[in-house]
Each structure stands twice: as C-alpha cells, then as structure tokens.
Amino acid sequence: MSPPTDIWNVRAEDFPASGSEDDKLRFLLNYAVMAPSHHNSQPWMFRLREGELEVYADRTRASHVTDPHCRELFISCGAAIEHLAVAIRHCGHAGDLKILPDPLSPDLLAVAQLGEVHATSLEDTILFNAIPKRRTNRGPFRRDPLPPQLISALEVEAHATGAELHFVRFEEERFELADLIAAADEIQWRNKSFRLELAAWMHPNRDQSRDGMPGYAIGLGDLLSHAGPLVARTFDLGNGRAARDRDLAIHSPALAVLFTDGDTEKDWIDAGRALARVLLRARSEDVWASFLNQPVELGELRVKVAQNARKEGQAQLILRMGFGEPVKPTPRRLIEQVAI
C-alpha cells in the first residue's frame, strides 16, 4: 500500500507530452490536489470529458459548524483550480479556464482545457516549482522580516485574480487583530459542536487516512497524536488556544488579511485562486505560511476584521508568514478517489 503522502513525490518529467489531452489533464491533477484546504478536507471532485476537465465542489466534505455557507470550501476549490491553471501553463499550454460556467449546475465551479501550445514564462516556472514544496506550517517562525520586494510581489499575485492582500503594518492594528483571533478561539472552543467537528478531522500520526490533519501537522508527537481527537472532543481548550494564537499573531514576521470586493461564490473562488498564487510565490522565496482564520469564521467578528483594517471589502482569510523549519506534507487522496 502506498503511503498517504505519496502524491507529493510526483515528477514533472513524467508529464505525458505525447499523450492525449485527457492523459495530460489527468496527470496535472496531481498538482491540483496539492492545494491547501480547510482541515485538509480536500473538498473537490474532477471529471474528464474529452479534453475538458470539470472541477466540482464536494459539499459532503464541508465543515458545517465553521463553514455553514461553504465559503471556505469554495476557497479551497479555488486554490485547486489555480494550481491546475499554473500546471497547465508550465507544461506548455495557454490554458482555457471558465469559472462557474453553468448556472444550472451550482457545484460545477470551473471547466479547464489545455488550450493552444504556449511558451512557458518565468513566472509560470517559479509558481509551478513551488507546488510540491508548499505546506501549511503551524510551527514557530524566526523574527526575520519578509523582504519589502517580496511583500510587493505577494500583493501583485493577489491582485492577479481580483483579490487584495492587506499586510498589517501598524502595531495598533496588529494588536487589535490578535485580540479578535483570541476572542474567536474562546467562542469556538466553548461550542461542543465545533470541537466534535474539529476532532473528526484529526488523525494519529501513523494513521493511513488520506485526508484530515495528522497529529504532526499540529505539532503532536506519535503518542499525543492518538489522544488529540479525544482531548479536542472533551475539553474546552479555548483559553490556552487563545493565548497561543494571540502570541502568534503579535509576533508573526508578517500578518496579512486577504480581501475581496464582494462575498459571492465567484469571490470565494477568486480568493482561493489568489491564496494559491500568494502561497506559491512565498514558498519560492522559502517563506512558510499558516492560517489564523478563526475571526472570519464568525460573522460578528468577520465584520470587525474589515473594520480594523479600514477596508470596505470582505475579509476572507488571515495569514501569518515567515521563515521557519521545514515540515512534512499532509496526506492526499488518490487521483482515483477524486476523479470521476
């Protein structure tokens, strides 16, 4: 039996350049499914139809407590769509991407075709080569600041799909956002349904599950990873989590909020595409990232995140970024499990 992380070892040189369009698109799915997703739920399905690849939202994998409207689910799928688009361009095709192409099929989020043969740009290569290196790194980061030119580049990447990456630059705003993150932790952990949902996505380190969060992804050793789900289900750890996350936010080398103008399903997909580009560009410069999304998962606090940033748009994600130690990849489902 292959290990749950085997997909991260895919080799670009195995791309079937002389194969059919379906062969090529099926191979490129290896890169789409490396995208980040809420709780590593991987809420996507794909269907190959004679040179077209359809991307569907799999709502059965939604987190109904923290994501009742499937906003984060659509963001996750948007990231997978952008990974696919990057891979298509890197492999020498222009790519033809249609977002939400059929109003009568609300779960059909995108249709991708290879398109014409096209020269690969340096940007395509940079982003593509970062896909297998991307991880959600919840560990501590060094205090080294991000280079100003990289911050500017990340802002440009977000704009490429119509989003805005707002970096928290002032101490007062940073402390207020850290307080919102801590407040959200306390609210969520008091909710038993939240704890049950979180525990359902947690797995022991040696578990063969191909989704969810193994203990090592949240800093747990082998022994503690077995107890993790039980502890999460049973105890309100909100106070401790709030203190930890507040400290992470205050001391993160870079803290940023991803905004969109609107809050439609199209905006959520665009946010996911922007997220993918930002994370890949960051990894190309050895920068790691993780999420502090708790306030944007609670309606009353999500509004305050935008107010704190003095933005009129919709806060979609909160990112912390910095330089740190490498972490292992998380499991991924087999292509056979996500492709119809």
Side-chain angles (χ1 to χ4, degrees):
M1 179 183 297
S2 59
T5 56
D6 56 348
I7 204 165
W8 295 91
N9 298 319
V10 63
R11 302 190 313 162
E13 55 266 33
D14 290 336
F15 176 69
S18 60
S20 68
E21 290 190 352
D22 281 2
D23 291 337
K24 294 176 181 179
L25 287 168
R26 188 176 183 83
F27 176 82
L28 295 178
L29 279 180
N30 288 285
Y31 297 95
V33 301
M34 292 183 199
S37 60
H38 181 59
H39 292 338
N40 193 28
S41 55
Q42 304 167 53
W44 42 63
M45 292 294 292
F46 305 91
R47 174 177 288 163
L48 277 166
R49 288 181 182 270
E50 299 180 352
E52 290 188 341
L53 182 62
E54 299 174 342
V55 184
Y56 289 86
D58 183 354
R59 296 178 193 259
T60 67
R61 306 181 74 79
S63 299
H64 297 292
V65 178
T66 54
D67 191 28
H69 304 295
C70 291
R71 181 182 62 84
E72 289 183 294
L73 184 150
F74 271 64
I75 290 173
S76 301
C77 291
I81 290 167
E82 190 61 23
H83 272 219
L84 177 64
V86 167
I88 288 174
R89 291 193 298 271
H90 172 77
C91 290
H93 291 269
D96 181 8
L97 189 64
K98 298 181 179 67
I99 303 297
L100 295 174
D102 185 357
L104 298 180
S105 183
D107 290 342
L108 176 58
L109 305 190
V111 176
Q113 294 176 310
L114 293 175
E116 297 179 354
V117 174
H118 192 272
T120 301
S121 71
L122 176 61
E123 178 73 4
D124 295 332
T125 299
I126 289 172
L127 296 181
F128 176 81
N129 287 339
I131 291 177
K133 299 191 295 183
R134 188 212 60 80
R135 316 271 191 269
T136 298
N137 190 331
R138 299 175 179 85
F141 297 152
R142 300 193 296 272
R143 294 296 179 90
D144 311 53
L146 270 60
Q149 63 270 26
L150 176 58
I151 289 177
S152 297
L154 297 179
E155 292 171 335
V156 169
E157 294 293 358
H159 276 293
T161 64
E164 178 183 357
L165 188 65
H166 167 74
F167 281 90
V168 177
R169 290 181 166 88
F170 300 104
E171 185 175 272
E172 181 181 1
E173 181 186 350
R174 179 180 286 259
F175 274 87
E176 288 177 356
L177 182 56
D179 287 341
L180 290 174
I181 292 167
D185 276 328
E186 292 179 350
I187 292 170
Q188 287 184 325
W189 277 88
R190 281 198 298 266
N191 184 345
K192 186 174 182 180
S193 295
F194 165 83
R195 301 201 305 271
L196 290 173
E197 182 175 83
L198 175 63
W201 289 108
M202 296 171 66
H203 304 304
N205 286 343
R206 299 183 184 278
D207 194 281
Q208 292 299 302
S209 297
R210 288 186 170 270
D211 58 11
M213 299 175 291
Y216 63 76
I218 52 178
L220 299 180
D222 288 348
L223 184 60
L224 287 178
S225 71
H226 283 274
L230 175 62
V231 171
R233 287 193 299 267
T234 308
F235 300 104
D236 177 356
L237 304 178
N239 289 338
R241 183 63 183 266
R244 174 187 176 275
D245 287 345
R246 185 177 187 277
D247 188 66
L248 281 177
I250 290 172
H251 297 293
S252 291
L255 192 63
V257 184
L258 186 70
F259 284 92
T260 54
D261 288 338
D263 207 27
T264 65
E265 292 178 348
K266 172 65 162 53
D267 290 303
W268 301 341
I269 293 171
D270 288 345
R273 297 182 66 193
L275 172 68
R277 298 185 68 86
V278 166
L279 295 181
L280 294 178
R281 187 68 176 82
R283 278 307 296 136
S284 75
E285 300 289 340
D286 293 325
V287 170
W288 299 101
S290 64
F291 302 93
L292 292 169
N293 289 333
Q294 299 89 311
V296 297
E297 294 172 345
L298 298 169
E300 66 273 22
L301 296 186
R302 188 181 180 205
V303 172
K304 292 182 180 180
V305 171
Q307 292 172 343
N308 181 48
R310 294 174 174 81
K311 296 289 181 182
E312 295 182 357
Q314 300 292 326
Q316 302 293 353
L317 298 164
I318 301 173
L319 288 168
R320 59 182 283 264
M321 287 180 276
F323 300 95
E325 296 301 315
V327 293
K328 296 191 294 184
T330 48
R332 285 298 183 275
R333 292 193 285 163
L334 297 169
I335 297 301
E336 292 76 13
Q337 295 175 299
V338 298
I340 302 172

